Amino acid sequence: MSENTSDRQPEDVPATPPVPETPAAAAAQHTPPAGWHVPPRPAPPTPTSGAPYPVGAGASFGSPSQPTQPTQPTLPLGDGGRGYGETPAAAQETATSTKRKSGAVRVAGLLVAAAVVGGAAGLGGAYAGVSLFQPASTATTATGPTSVTVNDTDDVNQTTAIAAKVVPSVVTIEAAGGAGSGTGSGVILSSDGYVVTNTHVVTLDGATGDAAIRVTTSDGRVFDAEIVGTDPLYDLAVIKLQDADGLTPIEFADSSDLNVGDETTAVGAPLGLSNTVTTGIVSALNRSIEIASSAAPDEGDADENQGEAPPFSFDFGQGQQSGQPAESIKIAVIQTDAAINPGNSGGALVDSQGRLIGVNVAIASAGGTSSTQGNIGVGFAIPSDIVQRVTDELIENGSATHGLLGANVQSAAYVDDADITGAYIAEVTAGGAAEAAGLRAGDIVTEFNGVPITDSVDLTAQVRALAAGSEVSLTYVRDGRDATADVTLGELEQ
């Protein structure tokens, strides 16, 4: 919600133009691309809880009769000169308007959730494979869930070993509510059933706050689950499987140690196809994206339909879209070319040793309708370092904190007379973290905690990634000279 009131905290990005609030949209139904043959599939069994789950062969969310919605062209990654501000629960203040530089190029594309599809189609086999992570002298068959098919145990490769290790730690999530139903993925955090996924999976893309959730493990066990906490500002959520034990938790890696070119493997349930493994590399680091928020609607807000979409928006393949979401979030992500499709959201992105480096959250699409959206080799995952911090806080407190810089900023490339890229500070908040650190209007932030800052989306994503009270160092340019400042971040009210 965009406001300019004295009793609300400003965001760290501008609202130029302001973006009115709508609930996060449920997105259009997924249908196979032209030329695909989809054999009929039986409807999944009705859950014991009585909540409806995906039905019908090839159906996405809700009824197969629900119309699909057209996708939307977008601006270049970042704020594209439009000065979009972040609008989570704490409202933002508008900043000085920006001026688009001549020659700015529009890029056709759409950021879509690698989220949720209807109809579960389990894959699997009866052999768990050979773990290449075992010492050479103990080359033994992996134990646990038997969902990775290995036909020739004398000729397995690293990907086979990664699959054998990781698949037991990834689950398929079915969520159902009055707004529809669908499936996504999740990653096991503990043997007694804590699982991380995306907020948009458990809220049906922001359509409901009380979805019925059931979880299927890779070995076919089914559990009811309840939401422990959601963090819409970074699209993460933790759920708890009821009466679960003996699960296989994922091993975490340090995502700050990644290099471009490192091997990646994505595991999840794309298009409802559980236990799917795809491979690729880290194709970019220090990427920041702006996407639609999937916060559960407040009571009475579910039928609102107003506003315009952010530069990049989700399209979840979830049935009829209720409106264009105006509320957006900025998140720092790992970019990968491992195939990620609707249904992969909440699943694992792992390194060459089968350790978690990210939670898959979104894909980029070249455009078209929701029925043609799919992997084009540009997928995004929330880094494991952020995942670990947020999930720890969700499990302990039911909510997570996020940093606040206390400044309205915009992309320097679209400000008159600016000759460098960065986040231009249009205004600082009295008594805020930026003012306390000596920053002032006109400064251009170019680096934050060692991460290059090229626009306002970069800065906001990095600030939000950290907990309230974090101490950071940033580099800025004032009057043509570089300077540094140590900042203690405030807390964003939600």
Side-chain angles (χ1 to χ4, degrees):
M1 183 181 298
S2 296
E3 299 182 14
N4 190 6
T5 56
S6 60
D7 61 341
R8 302 299 296 271
Q9 293 189 49
E11 296 305 310
D12 299 332
V13 295
T16 314
V19 186
E21 178 182 0
T22 65
Q29 167 183 358
H30 173 82
T31 56
W36 277 28
H37 171 66
V38 180
R41 293 202 308 262
T46 302
T48 56
S49 64
Y53 283 97
V55 294
S60 289
F61 283 83
S63 167
S65 64
Q66 291 174 317
T68 59
Q69 299 294 315
T71 60
Q72 301 174 19
T74 64
L75 297 175
L77 196 62
D79 80 358
R82 294 177 62 178
Y84 280 95
E86 182 173 359
T87 56
Q92 64 194 23
E93 296 184 14
T94 58
T96 305
S97 61
T98 62
K99 178 180 179 181
R100 182 187 301 275
K101 285 187 176 290
S102 62
V105 180
R106 290 177 176 267
V107 176
L110 183 73
L111 199 62
V112 298
V116 280
V117 294
L123 301 178
Y127 195 77
V130 177
S131 174
L132 299 185
F133 301 112
Q134 297 290 336
S137 60
T138 59
T140 59
T141 300
T143 59
T146 56
S147 55
V148 178
T149 302
V150 178
N151 292 317
D152 186 354
T153 58
D154 294 328
D155 187 21
V156 295
N157 59 25
Q158 186 177 34
T159 302
T160 306
I162 293 170
K165 178 179 180 179
V166 176
V167 165
S169 299
V170 178
V171 299
T172 300
I173 298 173
E174 298 178 2
S181 60
T183 65
S185 305
V187 182
I188 297 171
L189 298 174
S190 68
S191 61
D192 61 347
Y194 284 103
V195 169
V196 61
T197 185
N198 294 133
T199 293
H200 71 252
V201 171
V202 298
T203 64
L204 295 176
D205 313 330
T208 181
D210 59 356
I213 300 171
R214 300 197 84 193
V215 174
T216 303
T217 62
S218 63
D219 61 343
R221 288 180 289 169
V222 180
F223 299 90
D224 291 324
E226 59 184 12
I227 297 174
V228 174
T230 63
D231 180 38
L233 283 178
Y234 246 85
D235 203 4
L236 290 169
V238 172
I239 61 176
K240 178 66 165 61
L241 280 55
Q242 298 177 9
D243 302 320
D245 59 23
L247 302 180
T248 305
I250 197 79
E251 179 185 356
F252 274 75
D254 187 345
S255 55
S256 66
D257 290 338
L258 290 173
N259 296 320
V260 170
D262 284 350
E263 296 178 359
T264 61
T265 300
V267 182
L271 311 179
L273 303 174
S274 302
N275 308 330
T276 295
V277 177
T278 57
T279 63
I281 62 168
V282 173
S283 52
L285 292 168
N286 302 324
R287 184 76 77 203
S288 301
I289 57 176
E290 180 177 3
I291 53 181
S293 171
S294 55
D298 293 331
E299 186 175 354
D301 287 349
D303 293 330
E304 291 185 7
N305 181 15
Q306 58 184 344
E308 63 179 285
F312 293 91
S313 59
F314 280 131
D315 186 352
F316 301 93
Q318 197 182 348
Q320 188 170 1
Q321 188 167 330
S322 62
Q324 294 297 336
E327 193 165 304
S328 65
I329 59 175
K330 282 84 170 172
I331 59 176
V333 291
I334 299 165
Q335 182 178 318
T336 181
D337 67 347
I340 297 174
N341 286 284
N344 270 120
S345 269
L349 186 71
V350 300
D351 63 12
S352 59
Q353 298 182 54
R355 302 174 303 176
L356 187 74
I357 57 173
V359 168
N360 299 319
V361 64
I363 58 177
S365 169
T369 65
S370 61
S371 63
T372 61
Q373 291 165 1
N375 172 66
I376 59 169
V378 183
F380 304 102
I382 302 167
S384 59
D385 291 355
I386 301 174
V387 172
Q388 191 157 37
R389 178 189 76 80
V390 170
T391 55
D392 284 349
E393 291 188 26
L394 289 176
I395 292 171
E396 182 176 354
N397 305 315
S399 61
T401 65
H402 293 277
L404 181 70
L405 183 59
N408 289 324
V409 301
Q410 55 200 55
S411 297
Y414 303 101
V415 175
D416 285 342
D417 301 325
D419 56 4
I420 59 171
T421 60
Y424 176 86
I425 297 180
E427 181 182 3
V428 297
T429 304
E435 183 185 63
L439 297 173
R440 64 191 189 203
D443 293 343
I444 299 176
V445 179
T446 58
E447 187 175 286
F448 183 90
N449 258 8
V451 176
I453 300 298
T454 62
D455 56 24
S456 62
V457 176
D458 280 347
L459 181 57
T460 300
Q462 292 298 326
V463 170
R464 298 290 184 263
L466 298 178
S470 297
E471 296 182 358
V472 301
S473 175
L474 58 80
T475 301
Y476 62 95
V477 175
R478 177 184 296 169
D479 298 329
R481 297 181 179 179
D482 290 341
T484 61
D486 294 325
V487 182
T488 300
L489 297 177
E491 180 172 356
L492 179 69
E493 293 183 359
Q494 302 182 52

